[in-house]
Amino acid sequence: MNAGPRVVALTGAGISAESGVPTFRGPGSLWERYRPEELATPEAFARDPTRVWAWYAWRRERIARAEPNPAHRTLAEMEAALPSFILITQNVDGLHQRAGSRRVIELHGNLWRVRCVQEGRTWEDDRVPLPEIPPRCPACGALLRPDVVWFGEPLPPVAWRQALEAAQQAEIFLVIGTSGIVEPAASLSRLARAHGARIIEFNIEETPLTSLADEVWRGPVGETLPRWWHAFQDRP
Ligand code: NAD
């Protein structure tokens, strides 16, 4: 297969739904039971770190039991087959890496990393269960927080710059399992469109990004994405 058009993929929580990881919005979502502003904000953490960490500990346990699904694996195949392929994710679950993706732009961090609130140092921590909640820095005793981006916080600047460049250079932009509501990640699809990319949406339902899309694959992404990829590989 020749190098072909430059393909960029943006994934959201929906790609991990079939792995058993709850989404934030849509049927069976986390937010049906919890309010985001009570948990995923710096203010919530300052008010009650134990409560916020209990929620992250619960998510880490669920994700540790989850396996990447065919959609994650398809994106890893794309990376191996297309030298210019770029994967941008809003997810924090690490399932893309477990499926074999190596070049992943993580816009919202990763819940398998912790950060010392005092020193700002980050490191990987995949202990499940955590020995104490809230966990503390072994060096200075300060609180640790998940190294994720909370509502109201800026995105990691390097990842965001790489994502902007990728969106501008994309010829095919795959929007996969994202509600298209969380900014600024949602603006990447508009940017890609403005720079001439063909937008292809994969979602079980209509989203605010659907009207931008040149092509829509409706249905569970574990089925639709492998089908799209096979058709793409068979193109003349
Ligand atoms: P979201 O929860 O707002 O939206 C999920 C989208 O996925 C919805 O549009 C839904 O219709 C779609 N969807 C659900 N199941 C699907 C399936 N099987 N196939 C195709 N589409 C499906 O998620 P978001 O847009 O990523 O934004 C919310 C924020 O949620 C992000 O910042 C992300 O960091 C965070 N989040 C991450 C995880 C994770 O890492 N797995 C889980 C929950 C939330």
Side-chain angles (χ1 to χ4, degrees):
M1 189 169 57
N2 64 27
R6 178 183 276 264
V7 181
V8 175
L10 170 68
T11 63
I15 196 171
S16 298
E18 288 157 73
S19 295
V21 181
T23 58
F24 277 6
R25 298 177 189 80
S29 68
L30 290 169
W31 299 134
E32 283 175 14
R33 280 167 290 155
Y34 305 98
R35 285 156 50 82
E37 59 273 20
E38 283 174 18
L39 294 165
T41 68
E43 294 77 21
F45 187 70
R47 212 164 37 234
D48 193 346
T50 305
R51 180 153 189 258
V52 172
W53 260 115
W55 182 58
Y56 276 95
W58 173 77
R59 291 177 66 192
R60 284 162 60 109
E61 279 171 30
R62 253 191 112 125
I63 293 165
R65 286 197 306 269
E67 291 296 332
N69 66 55
H72 295 108
R73 287 196 289 274
T74 297
L75 290 168
E77 276 179 39
M78 287 187 201
E79 178 182 302
L82 306 172
S84 61
F85 176 75
I86 293 180
L87 172 57
I88 307 166
T89 190
Q90 299 169 83
N91 292 350
V92 295
D93 57 28
L95 286 176
H96 284 306
Q97 288 86 343
R98 280 173 54 197
S101 289
R102 290 289 162 259
R103 304 189 304 268
V104 186
I105 300 176
E106 290 183 323
L107 292 181
H108 293 162
N110 192 307
L111 53 60
W112 299 111
R113 258 193 332 262
V114 291
R115 188 194 319 159
C116 171
V117 298
Q118 191 64 42
E119 303 161 338
R121 232 165 24 95
T122 65
W123 63 92
E124 271 182 37
D125 182 340
D126 56 6
R127 292 174 298 171
V128 171
L130 287 160
E132 56 169 346
I133 288 182
R136 293 194 169 268
C137 177
C140 73
L143 278 176
L144 297 179
R145 59 165 281 179
D147 191 27
V148 300
V149 177
W150 282 329
F151 291 101
E153 294 185 321
L155 303 194
V158 174
W160 180 238
R161 202 177 54 241
Q162 289 172 338
L164 286 174
E165 270 169 28
Q168 284 164 2
Q169 290 164 8
E171 291 170 272
I172 295 179
F173 194 81
L174 311 176
V175 187
I176 303 169
T178 173
S179 61
I181 289 171
V182 177
E183 294 289 356
S187 69
L188 291 171
S189 306
R190 294 193 295 273
L191 184 68
R193 181 91 166 86
H195 281 75
R198 181 173 176 79
I199 309 291
I200 309 180
E201 182 182 59
F202 299 82
N203 204 303
I204 47 172
E205 57 188 27
E206 196 170 329
T207 75
L209 298 175
T210 304
S211 58
L212 277 187
D214 298 286
E215 201 177 315
V216 176
W217 290 63
R218 194 65 74 227
V221 71
E223 293 170 21
T224 54
L225 193 64
R227 278 200 352 251
W228 178 84
W229 174 230
H230 289 137
F232 179 84
Q233 288 172 299
D234 289 345
R235 75 196 188 287

